[in-house]
């Protein structure tokens, strides 16, 4: 009783698979005529699976059609080779009874030679061999580390800034001493020499110029620390120049980035 129930359903499933296989072949032929080789190959492979499901011995023949379509797609040579080799392997029993199958197999062998000639070589795998072109690290890919130009300028700026603040402090202390001895700054005690007043003013100006220059250099170094990367300063020309001048000092920072 169970066998009686199973056999009709099996026959119906096989018939349905045959119909879907025929539709897949029809779709594949339409895609092939329109030059849609990838879609044609896909539908031929669908037809192959459906024909096998239906128990059709001629299923391997559509592998030749699928391989032929894949061979016309640049970059799919290896897929075409694998598909055609499957056709040759599975169609061997059919070649003994059909001259047309023998012709297709002959064409397939010639197509294999052609595909092997133009297919890219398969990469060889070597085990336990260090790579000659290692994958760059994230730091290398981003161009390296921090350029030394920024930190150097930051250090130079700090070295100039601190003495400038000290000089300003000394000048301020001397100025406060002079103000305590002559609060009105008019008709001061003749005992206060003019040179002392002039020196205090000069010291204050020099201190201001020095700490302002140091702050500018340090700020520039801080900015360049975040902007420049290692190697980008190889072509950079940076020069710091501090010169004396009557009544104070002059600081100049010059750089050129290429």
């Amino acid at each position: 009783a169970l066998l009686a129930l199973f056999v009709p359903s099996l026959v119906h499933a096989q018939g349905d698979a045959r119909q879907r296989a025929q539709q897949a072949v029809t779709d594949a032929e339409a895609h092939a005529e329109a030059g849609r080789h990838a879609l044609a190959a896909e539908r031929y492979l669908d037809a192959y699976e459906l024909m096998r499901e239906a128990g059709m011995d001629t299923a391997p023949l559509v592998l030749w059609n699928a391989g032929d379509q894949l061979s016309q797609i640049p970059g799919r040579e290896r897929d075409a080779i694998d598909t055609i080799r499957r056709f040759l392997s599975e169609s061997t029993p059919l070649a003994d009874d059909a001259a047309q199958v023998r012709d297709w197999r002959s064409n397939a062998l010639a197509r294999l030679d052609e595909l092997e000639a133009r297919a890219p070589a398969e990469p060889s795998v070597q085990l336990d061999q260090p790579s000659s072109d290692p994958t760059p690290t994230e730091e290398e890919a981003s161009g390296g580390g921090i350029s030394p130009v920024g930190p150097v300028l930051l250090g130079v700026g700090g070295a100039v800034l601190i003495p400038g603040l000290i000089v300003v402090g000394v000048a301020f202390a001397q100025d406060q001493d002079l103000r305590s001895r002559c609060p009105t700054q008019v008709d001061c005690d003749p005992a206060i020499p003019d040179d002392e007043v002039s020196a205090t003013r000069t010291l204050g100006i020099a201190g201001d110029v020095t700490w302002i220059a140091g702050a500018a250099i340090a700020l520039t170094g801080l900015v360049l620390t975040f902007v420049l990367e290692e190697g980008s300063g190889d072509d950079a020309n940076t020069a710091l120049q501090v010169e004396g001048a009557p009544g104070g000092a002059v600081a100049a920072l010059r750089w050129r980035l290429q």
Side-chain angles (χ1 to χ4, degrees):
L2 291 176
L3 183 60
L5 292 174
F6 176 73
V7 170
S9 62
L10 177 61
V11 172
H12 176 73
Q14 290 178 340
D16 181 62
R18 285 174 178 267
Q19 292 179 357
R20 289 187 291 147
Q22 181 59 48
Q23 182 60 50
V25 170
T26 302
D27 295 342
E29 291 174 348
H31 288 311
E33 291 178 0
R36 297 186 292 267
H37 304 296
L39 293 175
E42 181 179 352
R43 291 301 285 158
Y44 275 127
L45 292 175
D46 291 341
Y48 167 75
E49 296 296 338
L50 291 169
M51 292 173 70
R52 289 186 58 187
E53 181 181 340
M56 301 175 64
D57 295 336
T58 56
L61 299 182
V62 296
L63 290 176
W64 162 240
N65 299 86
D68 177 61
Q69 292 299 312
L70 289 171
S71 69
Q72 301 181 57
I73 305 174
R76 300 290 300 275
E77 290 85 2
R78 285 295 165 190
D79 294 335
I81 290 173
D82 293 340
T83 304
I84 293 175
R85 284 176 177 171
R86 287 179 59 192
F87 160 70
L88 291 172
S89 175
E90 298 182 22
S91 65
T92 301
L94 302 175
D96 298 335
D97 301 326
Q100 182 65 48
V101 176
R102 291 193 293 271
D103 292 340
W104 287 346
R105 288 173 59 86
S106 178
N107 294 335
L109 290 173
R111 185 66 58 84
L112 278 180
D113 293 338
E114 174 191 345
L115 291 171
E116 290 287 358
R118 63 184 175 94
E122 295 181 346
S124 59
V125 179
Q126 296 182 355
L127 301 179
D128 300 330
Q129 293 291 334
S131 175
S132 59
D133 186 17
T135 302
T137 62
E138 182 177 354
E139 181 179 354
E140 293 172 346
S142 63
I146 298 175
S147 172
V149 175
V152 168
L153 290 180
L154 187 60
V156 172
V160 176
L161 174 63
I162 294 174
L165 294 176
I166 294 174
V167 171
V168 170
V170 172
F172 179 77
Q174 291 182 0
D175 183 67
Q176 291 300 312
D177 179 65
L178 289 175
R179 289 180 181 275
S180 64
R181 293 157 61 184
C182 183
T184 61
Q185 301 293 315
V186 179
D187 297 331
C188 296
D189 187 353
I192 302 176
D194 294 337
D195 293 343
E196 184 176 353
V197 177
S198 177
T200 300
R201 291 177 179 175
T202 300
L203 187 63
I205 294 173
D208 288 338
V209 171
T210 303
W211 82 260
I212 292 173
I217 296 172
L219 180 60
T220 302
L222 182 62
V223 172
L224 294 181
T225 298
F226 293 100
V227 172
L228 293 182
E229 295 181 349
E230 185 176 1
S232 63
D234 294 341
D235 297 330
N237 296 327
T238 306
L240 172 66
Q241 181 179 1
V242 180
E243 299 177 351
V250 177
L253 174 66
R254 303 192 306 273
W255 72 87
R256 177 170 56 87
L257 298 180
Q258 296 178 347

